[in-house]
Amino acid sequence: MTPRPIYLDHHATTPVDPVVVAAMLPYLTEKFGNPSSRQHLFGQEAHAAVEEARAHVARLIGAEPGDIVFTSGATESNNLAVRGAARAPGSRGRHLVTTAIEHPAVLEPARTLEHEGYEVTVVAVGPDGLVATDDVARALRPDTVLVSVMAANNEIGTMQPVAEIGRLCRERGILFHTDAVQAVGRVPVRVDEWETDLVSISAHKMYGPKGVGALYLRRARRPRVRLQAQAEGGGQEKGLRSGTLNVPGIVGLGEAARLAAEALAAGEPARIAALRDRLLAGLRREIDGVEVNGSSERRLPGNLHVSIARAEAETLILSLGGRIAISSGAACAEAGGKGSHVLRAVGLPDERIYTALRFGIGRFNDADEIDEAVKALAAAVDTARSRASAAPR
Ligand SMILES: *Cc1c(COP(=O)(O)O)cnc(C)c1O
């Protein structure tokens, strides 16, 4: 039997931690109740489990449990935040500010609002993949209702100055949303220090299950955030997100949050950053023409994004023969066929984009896997380059 590939694609998704699976299982079997059915034990135990999960998620980001709304994932959280804030009754205007490297789950709802007559200012990023707070400040207007800037980018891993942007927005009384999917559980996230009003979270990027997420929205303290609900129905989640709660998923998210808090306290980010540095050092030692894309300083611990000269990424991944699970840098915008909007926004030339690889290192990787990945990549680069030079011109 061929061994499973080494998984180095933790920005796409993460494996579910076995501890999380164990916590979820009873809620798929005997504890199957609907948390809204409070008259009997089944509903009561489901309700209690959801509230415990809510407390774990809140604690991880320094929020109050009442500030957490469960959703079907961060795509829904982002849509609820962006559309919900813009369309809230009494909102201060019809202008939004976001950045060129946001996830499509922010950019697409912003575009939809534009078709409805809202104005959207898209702030550029520098060659380091960072947005300048001054540029955000210049984009603000008296009728700006929402600023949405992600905490950490899912391709190049760059971490934006969210605390500075939060302060700026708070001073002007403008709502600030941050898509923190890639940051939560990987680096410390404190909603009060960041002065954020809305924060999107996804379970499957932090060793929880797919199809469940959360939106933090500040309600316990002032100024309270008002949103227009996007799904109407039974009035669950204080009317902000109707629909029977995904109890096993929510329990999984809660347990993943509890484990993440432990892992952060136990130094997991430093351990993962050391593996990332080992990977980069190995690649530089074995392969010539390795260039890092995006800021090296303000970057997620497990992220490495490189371009390898004269080794087209798709060819390289084929040459790897399925031994290492990674993504080509352009993969995130395959549907459009124009290459990643993030790498374009950073201003990389075509040859850097088409030779770009994204590595995402996670909780269960070890040094042996990193060394094996370096070896496999070095061999695959040789193969890819010799194929390219042998190809007829
Ligand atoms: C994965 C991801 C999302 C979407 O989350 P889902 O839970 O898969 O809908 C949104 N934003 C970022 C930055 C992501 O990495």
Side-chain angles (χ1 to χ4, degrees):
M1 216 176 74
T2 43
R4 306 268 301 157
I6 296 172
Y7 190 74
L8 297 178
D9 202 13
H10 288 80
H11 299 299
T13 193
T14 57
V16 185
D17 193 301
V19 176
V20 170
V21 176
M24 291 173 68
L25 276 177
Y27 296 92
L28 290 159
T29 54
E30 73 269 25
K31 298 184 179 181
F32 59 83
N34 184 329
S36 298
S37 313
R38 273 352 140 69
Q39 290 97 335
H40 51 67
L41 176 70
F42 296 88
Q44 289 156 6
E45 62 195 6
H47 174 75
V50 165
E51 294 316 310
E52 190 186 331
R54 203 185 299 281
H56 287 316
V57 173
R59 200 168 307 132
L60 179 63
I61 61 171
E64 299 292 328
D67 292 341
I68 305 297
V69 171
F70 290 116
T71 64
S72 65
T75 297
E76 186 188 339
S77 300
N78 284 346
N79 272 269
L80 178 57
V82 173
R83 294 175 196 239
R87 293 174 179 164
S91 71
R92 29 185 279 161
R94 290 166 77 82
H95 176 241
L96 288 85
V97 175
T98 188
T99 83
I101 64 168
E102 297 301 307
H103 192 273
V106 164
L107 292 176
E108 292 303 320
R111 201 161 298 163
T112 299
L113 288 166
E114 223 168 14
H115 291 307
E116 291 175 12
Y118 288 78
E119 286 179 77
V120 180
T121 302
V122 178
V123 178
V125 295
D128 52 5
L130 297 173
V131 62
T133 307
D134 286 348
D135 289 342
V136 176
R138 270 191 286 276
L140 300 180
R141 308 192 324 206
D143 62 338
T144 305
V145 53
L146 180 75
V147 172
S148 181
V149 178
M150 70 199 326
N153 185 265
N154 48 299
E155 294 186 42
I156 53 177
T158 49
M159 298 196 287
Q160 304 300 342
V162 277
E164 284 177 24
I165 297 169
R167 200 173 317 129
L168 182 74
C169 293
R170 185 64 52 86
E171 280 164 12
R172 317 263 180 112
I174 297 167
L175 289 178
F176 177 43
H177 166 245
T178 186
D179 173 347
V181 169
Q182 296 287 344
V184 172
R186 293 183 170 144
V187 292
V189 170
R190 313 304 304 173
V191 292
D192 45 351
E193 281 168 32
W194 287 5
E195 305 202 46
T196 47
D197 302 297
L198 297 148
V199 178
S200 299
I201 299 173
S202 178
H204 78 96
K205 306 284 175 75
M206 49 184 282
Y207 309 97
K210 292 167 184 63
V212 60
L215 179 67
Y216 157 83
L217 81 152
R218 201 192 48 259
R219 282 186 298 194
R221 281 171 291 118
R222 294 189 176 270
R224 285 173 56 134
V225 176
R226 283 181 194 288
L227 292 185
Q228 185 200 71
Q230 303 301 295
E232 295 173 298
Q236 288 89 345
E237 298 298 85
K238 298 191 175 126
L240 278 167
R241 202 282 186 175
S242 285
T244 303
L245 295 175
N246 170 6
V247 178
I250 289 167
V251 168
L253 170 56
E255 188 65 3
R258 192 186 67 76
L259 292 179
E262 276 181 12
L264 287 172
E268 183 176 89
R271 188 184 70 80
I272 288 176
L275 290 177
R276 188 266 317 277
D277 295 344
R278 184 183 184 103
L279 175 62
L280 177 59
L283 293 179
R284 284 196 161 135
R285 188 179 62 238
E286 302 294 330
I287 304 166
D288 64 282
V290 175
E291 300 224 55
V292 175
N293 300 318
S295 166
S296 296
E297 292 77 42
R298 295 192 51 83
R299 180 184 286 269
L300 287 171
N303 178 278
L304 182 63
H305 199 285
V306 294
S307 293
I308 301 181
R310 293 170 286 113
E312 201 255 329
E314 305 292 337
T315 315
L316 187 59
I317 289 173
L318 280 180
S319 308
L320 277 170
R323 278 190 295 163
I324 317 287
I326 53 171
S327 286
S328 66
C332 293
E334 252 162 7
K338 298 193 301 276
S340 152
H341 72 286
V342 173
L343 302 186
R344 298 244 169 251
V346 168
L348 290 183
D350 279 356
E351 57 275 23
R352 280 277 283 272
I353 293 179
Y354 290 107
T355 56
L357 298 174
R358 178 185 70 175
F359 298 86
I361 298 168
R363 178 172 295 167
F364 302 108
N365 290 130
D366 61 27
D368 288 343
E369 287 180 318
I370 298 300
D371 295 346
E372 208 176 312
V374 168
K375 237 186 283 170
L377 273 151
V381 167
D382 282 345
T383 311
R385 283 177 178 167
S386 62
R387 266 190 208 156
S389 56
R393 299 270 147 183

